[in-house]
Amino acid sequence: QSALTQPASVSGSPGQSITISCTGTSSDVGGYKYVSWYQQHTGKAPKLMIYDVSNRPSGVSNRFSGSKSGNTASLTISGLQAEDEAEYYCSSYTSSGRYVFGTGTKVIVL
Amino acid sequence: QVQLVESGGGVVQPGRSLRLSCAASGFTFSNHGMHWVRQAPGKGLEWVALIWYDGSNKYYVDSVKGRFTISRDNSKNTLYLEMNSLRPEDTAVYYCARDWEMSTRGLQHWGQGTLVTVSS
């Protein structure tokens, strides 16, 4: 049950777009549509940003979008803002009925 | 609104036990699966356990299997995590999280967490 692979950090200037990848296997990301993305500010609880690969919960900015191709899911943040600086985690349902998180990506707004 | 409030954390010696609770409100608790997730200091999120809405199925990460037990009392709207044979590597903030209604699709709402420190 290995963690999904994410880049350690991604950076961008305000207004730019960035994309975070999340790579798993056919037993998790590639096999199911239950991929979610979470935002976590330092010292705070995680917050759901994307569910079922590409759906946004109510209240989440449409600057956040998700997609998947094969065993890799992606989170794109467009129009980057200072408040987007945080840690982001993907998660996926797995063939064993369990869940697995990604390694986490620090988003840095330059 | 959905509220999840964890309690029961604290400092415990290696090998001892601890029980965490998660009080739920603002939704029909018995319709939702529930998760425990932990985060060691300065580290990433680790999924720990899932119990289905009706308690019929339970799943655990390998590192806690046989030591931790997830359970729920739908009459009290409360989720539990019984942790036995605790190890220093179990030190973390433990979050409870709610899944989607009548299904498992992920972690929709999160509590604020409770800190467990395993140390002699």
Side-chain angles (χ1 to χ4, degrees):
Chain A
Q1 197 174 341
S2 300
L4 307 175
T5 301
Q6 298 180 231
S9 66
V10 173
S11 61
S13 300
Q16 286 187 329
S17 293
I18 62 169
T19 297
I20 303 168
S21 61
C22 169
T23 301
T25 68
S26 58
S27 295
D28 39 63
V29 174
Y32 303 93
K33 65 176 182 178
Y34 302 135
V35 176
S36 301
W37 288 91
Y38 304 90
Q39 177 192 65
Q40 186 180 35
H41 287 106
T42 303
K44 300 294 187 181
K47 174 187 175 184
L48 178 66
M49 305 301 285
I50 295 289
Y51 67 95
D52 293 355
V53 175
S54 60
N55 293 320
R56 262 188 325 273
S58 60
V60 172
S61 171
N62 59 8
R63 298 185 297 104
F64 292 84
S65 61
S67 63
K68 189 182 81 166
S69 177
N71 296 336
T72 298
S74 298
L75 173 71
T76 297
I77 309 174
S78 58
L80 199 62
Q81 298 180 0
E83 67 205 49
D84 299 332
E85 186 160 293
E87 195 82 19
Y88 290 81
Y89 296 91
C90 60
S91 79
S92 175
Y93 179 76
T94 76
S95 58
S96 63
R98 297 180 284 187
Y99 281 80
V100 62
F101 280 99
T103 50
T105 298
K106 173 70 176 174
V107 167
I108 300 167
V109 180
L110 302 171
Chain B
Q1 71 282 17
V2 175
Q3 271 205 309
L4 299 168
V5 180
E6 302 92 338
S7 61
V11 180
V12 60
Q13 292 180 329
R16 303 297 290 266
S17 299
L18 203 62
R19 188 177 83 158
L20 304 183
S21 299
C22 171
S25 60
F27 65 99
T28 304
F29 182 70
S30 58
N31 285 354
H32 293 264
M34 297 294 296
H35 302 255
W36 286 101
V37 174
R38 67 184 180 183
Q39 187 169 34
K43 302 298 184 182
L45 300 173
E46 180 181 37
W47 178 84
V48 174
L50 161 66
I51 184 168
W52 281 19
Y53 65 98
D54 58 359
S56 61
N57 286 286
K58 303 176 184 180
Y59 302 89
Y60 301 92
V61 68
D62 286 344
S63 58
V64 309
K65 209 176 293 184
R67 298 189 300 124
F68 290 11
T69 301
I70 188 172
S71 62
R72 64 191 298 158
D73 186 336
N74 286 346
S75 68
K76 295 182 178 179
N77 292 345
T78 303
L79 173 73
Y80 302 101
L81 185 67
E82 185 75 38
M83 304 185 294
N84 298 321
S85 303
L86 282 163
R87 305 167 180 169
E89 55 264 37
D90 295 319
T91 294
V93 173
Y94 284 74
Y95 297 99
C96 68
R98 191 194 84 171
D99 208 315
W100 299 81
E101 189 170 28
M102 307 301 278
S103 66
T104 179
R105 293 159 62 185
L107 297 84
Q108 187 184 22
H109 291 281
W110 297 63
Q112 289 304 304
T114 186
L115 177 61
V116 173
T117 302
V118 183
S119 173
S120 53

